Amino acid sequence: MIYGMIDERNEKSYTDMNKLFGVLRDAPKRYNWLITDCACNVCNDIWDRQDEQGYCWMSGEELTDYMKTHDIQWLFAVFSGFEKDISLEDILKYPLPYADENPDFWQNPIKMQHPLATVEIVPWDACLTLFFSKDKELTEAFRNGYPQSEDLYLYNEKP
């Protein structure tokens, strides 16, 4: 089952990945991360790597440390977390996830873009954060850290 959450009430008007990773505690370190479709306020290592190859690949430890030292205003991006035993070669057999103008976020059933991912975090248009996970406990951690967030399935059912 895929769980989805949406946070539209972010106090900074952009996704603060350092805060979000703090809410998830050590969970982000358990994954390797594919970062795609980045648009942010500064040119940085992730942006440069993405421009070269269309994506950035980082360990959870590397990404967590990076977020602690860089206050980036994420406008759009997709952070896809994969179990460490899944190879980048296998991941790249599928289309790269994207955020900007992706209509699938607003349709049920809830799904992640990458079939091998365990979690996907999507800063979307600098105004909200989408969170997808196969792990119910991780989804509860997000909900507890962002108490005004909503279940994305129910959000998508609204008229």
Side-chain angles (χ1 to χ4, degrees):
M1 178 168 192
I2 306 297
Y3 303 95
M5 298 296 296
I6 182 169
D7 176 35
E8 290 185 290
R9 295 171 180 89
N10 196 322
E11 68 274 5
K12 287 191 173 185
S13 300
Y14 65 91
T15 301
D16 182 341
M17 290 296 291
N18 185 45
K19 176 183 176 185
L20 199 156
F21 274 25
V23 163
L24 300 178
R25 299 196 178 111
D26 288 331
K29 293 180 182 179
R30 294 194 312 245
Y31 305 107
N32 285 326
W33 292 88
L34 180 74
I35 306 154
T36 54
D37 197 23
C38 293
C40 55
N41 68 325
V42 295
C43 289
N44 57 57
D45 299 338
I46 292 174
W47 184 276
D48 292 343
R49 287 190 218 181
Q50 177 192 269
D51 284 349
E52 293 170 12
Q53 53 200 13
Y55 63 88
C56 179
W57 180 247
M58 299 175 91
S59 72
E61 295 84 0
E62 183 182 9
L63 184 57
T64 300
D65 290 344
Y66 187 86
M67 293 305 172
K68 287 179 183 175
T69 59
H70 295 78
D71 184 23
I72 299 170
Q73 295 178 9
W74 297 97
L75 308 175
F76 284 104
V78 180
F79 292 82
S80 302
F82 299 87
E83 300 294 334
K84 296 224 178 196
D85 62 345
I86 299 174
S87 72
L88 179 59
E89 181 180 53
D90 286 341
I91 291 165
L92 294 177
K93 291 177 182 176
Y94 297 89
L96 294 176
Y98 70 100
D100 194 7
E101 297 188 27
N102 187 333
D104 294 338
F105 298 138
W106 318 116
Q107 299 174 15
N108 289 334
I110 301 300
K111 60 185 174 187
M112 287 191 280
Q113 291 183 67
H114 202 291
L116 302 178
T118 299
V119 61
E120 285 185 351
I121 301 166
V122 182
W124 194 83
D125 199 20
C127 64
L128 60 87
T129 304
L130 297 165
F131 183 86
F132 302 89
S133 180
K134 295 176 182 175
D135 182 335
K136 188 174 184 175
E137 288 180 26
L138 206 54
T139 305
E140 287 301 318
F142 181 89
R143 182 187 311 257
N144 291 336
Y146 297 91
Q148 294 184 23
S149 63
E150 298 178 62
D151 181 294
L152 185 57
Y153 182 90
L154 297 176
Y155 180 92
N156 288 344
E157 291 290 307
K158 292 179 185 176

